[in-house]
Amino acid sequence: MGGRTVEDPSGRGRASKPGCGEKGAAAEEKPLAPGLYLVATPIGNLADVTLRALSVLASADRIWCEDTRVTARLLASYGIRKKPLQPYHDHNAERARPAILAALRRGERVALVSDAGTPLISDPGYKLVREALAEGLALSAIPGPSAALAALLVSGLPPDRFLFAGFLPPRQKARRRALEPWAALLASLIFFESTPRLGESLADMAAVLGERPAAVARELTKLHEEVRRGKLGELAAYYREKGPPRGEAVIVVGPPVAAPPAPAEIDLRLEKALAALSVREAAARIAVETGLPRAAIYRRALDLKRAKEGGDEPGA
Ligand code: SAM
């Protein structure tokens, strides 16, 4: 059957969106509609660009980008002919934004890209999006690489809940203060960090968040890609001793490691479970609940059961 019909996010009518595994060629062949396209580009390996990103960049009337030389190289490497490239970065955004909005009002197809990865994610574009939406202008994301998600994937840390925290302040006092609200969050934390600050930032994370598993993902998708995993304190010591590595890096920190319940609490839970379950089943349930080794919990469950049956005090 054909693709699901969904509301066109640009508000320009209905569009056919392919479901998983279906071909979207028909939708892609349509001429590019007017609007602002937020286009993700590679974070290192040039091959990590989507077919749709290339198609939008090739069809756009204008491209606004952080550094025109970087984007010109990307376009040239895919044989996209010369087209107007204009800078949009932290230092000219206030002045450049009216020109972008004017182009959109004229019905042009405008692409926004950053030097690498997904625009707006610790890169310019958010204010432009807000203003374009306030004027009812069409807007689409062309998703693709982002260092934050790539780092989470290879970190080996829980991906089910995560907080992307961007860059931390460069000074220690402000950095520690910025970390405090996240200390109790039951989620993995993702930070962008400049490589010269890796050692200090990891040490502050260990101090404020407590010792936790973490990973430093460096030069992702590039020739010298490296992922170093360990406790926050170990990683801090490593980078302080070795000195800053080259390139770019993302820090991923695992959620707080829950302290195991006190022995009296474990006994209480086991006694409750033993009232309804066999020793084996009770031990399995409490081992899962507490994260403690099943064999130790099983031995304790046996002691408790024997003591109850014999009327003895269970062994300590
Ligand atoms: N918007 C971009 C994205 O979605 O990936 C991020 C831009 S932010 C200005 C740059 C930061 O992203 C770097 O300081 C680093 O923390 C991270 N980064 C970008 N490329 C990376 C890579 N190839 N490997 C590791 N980290 C990277």
Side-chain angles (χ1 to χ4, degrees), residues 43-44 114 116-119 121-123 145-148 167 191-194 217-222 248-250:
I43 57 168
S114 50
T118 300
I121 305 302
S122 294
D123 269 337
S146 177
F167 285 98
F191 302 93
F192 286 161
E193 189 50 288
S194 80
R218 196 172 64 78
E219 296 294 81
L220 288 164
T221 78
K222 302 183 195 175
E248 299 185 283
V250 180

